[in-house]
Amino acid sequence: MRENLDKQFSFTSLKWFNFFLYGTVVLFSSFFPLYLQEVGMNKLEIGSLMSVGALVSIIANPFWGIWTDRYQNIRRIVLLMLTGTLVLSQVVFQANTYEMIYVSILFFYFFQGPLFAESNTMILSYIDGTKHRFSSFRLWGSLGWAFTAILAGPVIEWAGVSVLSYLFAALLCAAMISLIVLPRLDHSIGIAPLPFKGFRQIFYHPFFLSFIFFGILVSIPNTMNNTFVSLYITELGGSKTMIGLAVFLSSILEVAVLVLCDRYLKRSIPVLLGWLALVSALFVLRWWLMADATTPLQVAFIQILHCVTFGGFFYVGTRLTMLLVPKPYRSSGQALYTLTWSGISGIMGGVLGGWLYQYLGAQSMYLSGVFLSLIGTLGFGAMWLLVSRGGYHPQDEHKEEDWNEIELNR
């Protein structure tokens, strides 16, 4: 009985850990651009600074993954990353020169960037061999993201954007406490294969590379929006509370979309490519509406489409990667897909979006998103047409049990 109670306490702590972790990230991603604008940075400088995280992640993710595999104590590794994130976040907020902000943000992203991947690995390790499903823990992360945003908005509106550093520190400390009370894993997490072991072989699959290319075009505008939507809302006269509402609406239904896709979407290349083209078309509609918006409330309600567009695109893209890449190279395929979505697109979206917003305005930035997403939509549509007419066949068989190896990250 005592052992069962301890296990249940551990799972509850993991859920709260995810809640607080996602809460800290939404504070930084949604409100930090406002802080940078307040200290005098322009749109291009803000976009360039925020895109640094994507660049650092290319190095940081494999670094922390190697150390986790070596020491087999992922709880301690994640705790170290949280500690580094806490310390360096305060350095960022206390920096009094642009140079100091840029230097400290590099080290901040080195600790903060891979937190999602490492924490998901940790949760999967704790629930291994139990009846618990990862989706229930992921739900707590989405709740933390949504409710932190909507509650933080009025607080920042009342106290000023400088209070952001205290809110960030408080949520990080809460996440660390939730982690400290967890028992150490009584089994090895396993040695992960090298993610880019088959990287070279993937370049011999032009169909998959086309999928990656069109995915980059669709994801660049998403990065632009994530970086600048809070500034766009304030430019239209919106408050910090309205920013919190927009983030809340963009994420509250995301898990429901993932669950519905997992339950009802047929796992075949033609069906998934068709859905990917449809979701990309919804991106086109989303950016068109954003370019045409005239009030903060309109922007907030348009953000509801994020649940379908981002949730659907990332889910379908992950599944398609499993089908398009030969089985021995799937780990490399997933790594490349994630790298292009969060890495390459993150860098290009931050810099390009910042330049467009600074010199041509928000409407031009979103219209460029319409153009890029439209090309991606047409590309995915052409791929769907090719597959539907029998012009492409996967190079190996994909068994149903292979799907059970995949868990979706944010």
Side-chain angles (χ1 to χ4, degrees):
M1 177 67 71
R2 174 72 182 185
E3 183 179 353
N4 290 335
L5 288 174
D6 289 341
K7 286 184 178 180
Q8 187 59 42
F9 177 75
S10 298
F11 296 135
T12 302
S13 296
L14 278 174
K15 291 176 180 178
W16 280 111
F17 165 77
N18 237 23
F19 183 94
F20 294 127
L21 176 64
Y22 277 72
T24 60
V25 175
V26 74
L27 279 179
F28 198 81
S29 62
S30 299
F31 295 101
F32 188 60
L34 298 176
Y35 172 81
L36 295 176
Q37 186 179 57
E38 187 171 278
V39 300
M41 285 190 172
N42 61 37
K43 308 297 192 306
L44 179 56
E45 291 170 332
I46 293 172
S48 300
L49 187 69
M50 297 298 286
S51 68
V52 166
L55 181 63
V56 173
S57 68
I58 297 174
I59 301 173
N61 277 292
F63 173 86
W64 290 109
I66 290 171
W67 280 97
T68 299
D69 294 339
R70 180 173 179 179
Y71 283 100
Q72 293 293 302
N73 190 339
I74 192 168
R75 183 176 69 97
R76 183 173 296 178
I77 294 293
V78 174
L79 188 59
L80 175 62
M81 295 170 69
L82 288 171
T83 303
T85 301
L86 175 60
V87 173
L88 288 162
S89 67
Q90 299 311 302
V91 175
V92 171
F93 284 114
Q94 297 302 319
N96 51 19
T97 65
Y98 286 173
E99 292 78 9
M100 188 62 183
I101 292 178
Y102 274 99
V103 172
S104 55
I105 205 76
L106 281 171
F107 290 98
F108 168 83
Y109 278 127
F110 185 79
F111 285 90
Q112 186 268 341
L115 269 175
F116 276 151
E118 290 296 309
S119 63
N120 286 339
T121 301
M122 182 183 68
I123 292 171
L124 289 167
S125 301
Y126 271 97
I127 66 176
D128 183 38
T130 72
K131 295 181 179 179
H132 291 270
R133 295 182 62 85
F134 180 79
S135 57
S136 63
F137 296 89
R138 180 64 176 78
L139 172 61
W140 278 71
S142 290
L143 292 176
W145 183 283
F147 285 103
T148 298
I150 200 169
L151 294 175
V155 174
I156 296 174
E157 184 74 36
W158 170 73
V161 75
S162 60
V163 78
L164 186 60
S165 63
Y166 301 103
L167 296 176
F168 195 78
L171 286 178
L172 270 177
C173 289
M176 293 170 70
I177 292 172
S178 301
L179 192 59
I180 289 172
V181 299
L182 286 173
R184 179 170 178 171
L185 282 170
D186 57 1
H187 60 276
S188 168
I189 63 173
I191 304 298
L194 293 176
F196 292 104
K197 184 179 179 181
F199 190 78
R200 186 181 64 179
Q201 284 80 358
I202 290 177
F203 281 95
Y204 293 101
H205 297 83
F207 195 84
F208 177 69
L209 292 180
S210 298
F211 158 73
I212 290 293
F213 173 73
F214 294 126
I216 291 175
L217 295 181
V218 174
S219 58
I220 287 174
N222 189 67
T223 301
M224 293 180 185
N225 179 73
N226 290 342
T227 304
F228 296 107
V229 65
S230 58
L231 301 181
Y232 187 39
I233 289 174
T234 57
E235 192 174 276
L236 292 175
S239 63
K240 311 297 189 301
T241 302
M242 185 62 67
I243 294 173
L245 175 64
V247 178
F248 175 85
L249 293 174
S250 73
S251 57
I252 192 62
L253 298 177
E254 185 179 298
V255 171
V257 171
L258 293 176
V259 171
L260 289 174
C261 287
D262 189 56
R263 181 169 298 182
Y264 296 110
L265 203 55
K266 186 178 179 182
R267 296 161 178 172
S268 71
I269 293 178
V271 171
L272 291 176
L273 275 174
W275 275 102
L276 200 59
L278 177 60
V279 170
S280 299
L282 289 177
F283 267 121
V284 175
L285 173 63
R286 181 182 172 190
W287 307 138
W288 182 271
L289 292 174
M290 289 290 284
D292 199 47
T294 56
T295 68
L297 190 60
Q298 286 178 328
V299 174
F301 281 108
I302 293 169
Q303 288 298 100
I304 296 176
L305 283 172
H306 179 83
C307 302
V308 180
T309 51
F310 175 81
F313 191 94
F314 195 80
Y315 174 93
V316 174
T318 303
R319 295 303 196 190
L320 265 174
T321 300
M322 289 293 290
L323 289 177
L324 295 177
V325 178
K327 188 172 183 179
Y329 312 122
R330 287 178 184 171
S331 178
S332 298
Q334 291 292 345
L336 180 60
Y337 175 69
T338 303
L339 174 63
T340 54
W341 175 269
S342 61
I344 296 174
S345 301
I347 297 170
M348 296 179 65
V351 176
L352 177 62
W355 186 88
L356 289 169
Y357 201 159
Q358 178 67 28
Y359 296 107
L360 300 178
Q363 186 179 41
S364 295
M365 181 185 71
Y366 281 112
L367 287 177
S368 71
V370 172
F371 176 72
L372 291 173
S373 299
L374 181 60
I375 296 176
T377 301
L378 296 175
F380 287 131
M383 294 177 70
W384 169 79
L385 193 62
L386 178 66
V387 171
S388 299
R389 293 182 174 180
Y392 170 81
H393 300 282
Q395 298 194 14
D396 62 348
E397 297 296 327
H398 306 280
K399 298 179 181 179
E400 181 70 22
E401 56 265 24
D402 293 335
W403 293 97
N404 298 326
E405 302 172 3
I406 295 297
E407 288 288 356
L408 294 179
N409 299 331
R410 184 176 183 79

